[in-house]
Amino acid sequence: MARWYIIHAYSGFEGKVRDAIMSEATRLGLEQLVEQIEVPTETVTEARRGKKIAVERKFMPGYVLAKLNMNDDVYHLVKNTPKVTGFLGSMGKPQAISEAEAARMLNSKEEAAAAPKTKVKVDYEIGDAVKVLEGPFASFNGIVEELDFDKSKVKVSVSIFGRATPVELDFEQVERSK
């Protein structure tokens, strides 16, 4: 019976590890024992140069989920794969996780898409100088005073007629000044 295992791999090489295990299993005739190998990812919305961009990001960097019929051959196949440091478990023994845990990790992409709130990453912080890109204050420069990630709003202190005036804008309406 196949069970889910977590494989620890070098960070940044998760996709290559997945591909290497699948191709090696095929080469050795063990593909029926290696049912599924996944790299858990999530979709994150980033604000870059005033535009919202959906980016696929690893949910658990350095880890790969694999549904395996574990035996000695499969164990050695995975352990001898380049860029794999081992299985998650105690004393070097692979520890299987439940179907529910695996589903939760793998469905994080669907949950993120279904959730009304998306994570937004901005390239500026409180105190940074920014330029307003659109709206009534377009081309004005200001200083970031507040970031509200729940509402995707930024409060910028803009100088109007020599007086600092706080203005609330969307994340994509401003960009970091060069």
Side-chain angles (χ1 to χ4, degrees):
M1 183 181 110
R3 301 197 51 202
W4 285 99
Y5 295 90
I6 299 177
I7 300 168
H8 190 263
Y10 290 4
S11 188
F13 290 93
E14 298 89 349
K16 289 183 188 217
V17 165
R18 176 193 57 217
D19 298 342
I21 292 172
M22 291 303 284
S23 65
E24 190 66 9
T26 303
R27 190 181 73 78
L28 296 173
L30 300 172
E31 62 266 3
Q32 73 278 6
L33 300 175
V34 179
E35 284 189 19
Q36 189 176 354
I37 299 179
E38 298 290 334
V39 178
T41 58
E42 63 183 345
T43 304
V44 177
T45 304
E46 292 184 359
R48 287 191 195 156
R49 295 193 180 102
K51 300 208 179 356
K52 285 186 180 179
I53 300 171
V55 177
E56 196 84 355
R57 192 177 74 185
K58 290 179 185 75
F59 180 62
M60 298 181 346
Y63 294 99
V64 178
L65 262 64
K67 191 167 188 176
L68 309 169
N69 286 309
M70 187 60 72
N71 65 18
D72 287 345
D73 292 334
V74 173
Y75 175 81
H76 290 296
L77 162 77
V78 173
K79 282 288 285 180
N80 294 330
T81 301
K83 311 286 189 232
V84 170
T85 58
F87 286 94
L88 213 59
S90 60
M91 295 185 289
K93 278 181 62 179
Q95 182 69 42
I97 61 171
S98 69
E99 281 286 336
E101 282 181 296
R104 185 179 54 80
M105 289 179 209
L106 293 174
N107 291 335
S108 64
K109 191 188 308 181
E110 286 79 24
E111 288 169 11
K117 271 198 273 184
T118 56
K119 294 180 183 178
V120 177
K121 184 180 172 194
V122 292
D123 62 349
Y124 46 83
E125 298 174 3
I126 294 174
D128 285 351
V130 293
K131 180 179 180 181
V132 180
L133 298 172
E134 56 186 55
F137 300 101
S139 78
F140 276 75
N141 291 322
I143 305 293
V144 177
E145 288 183 350
E146 226 176 272
L147 293 169
D148 187 349
F149 287 96
D150 293 334
K151 296 179 184 172
S152 295
K153 299 282 185 184
V154 58
K155 190 180 281 186
V156 179
S157 178
V158 179
S159 179
I160 302 173
F161 302 120
R163 177 175 284 176
T165 306
V167 178
E168 190 171 84
L169 302 163
D170 292 329
F171 281 155
E172 63 270 6
Q173 287 182 298
V174 297
E175 75 175 354
R176 176 182 240 157
S177 294
K178 277 116 182 124

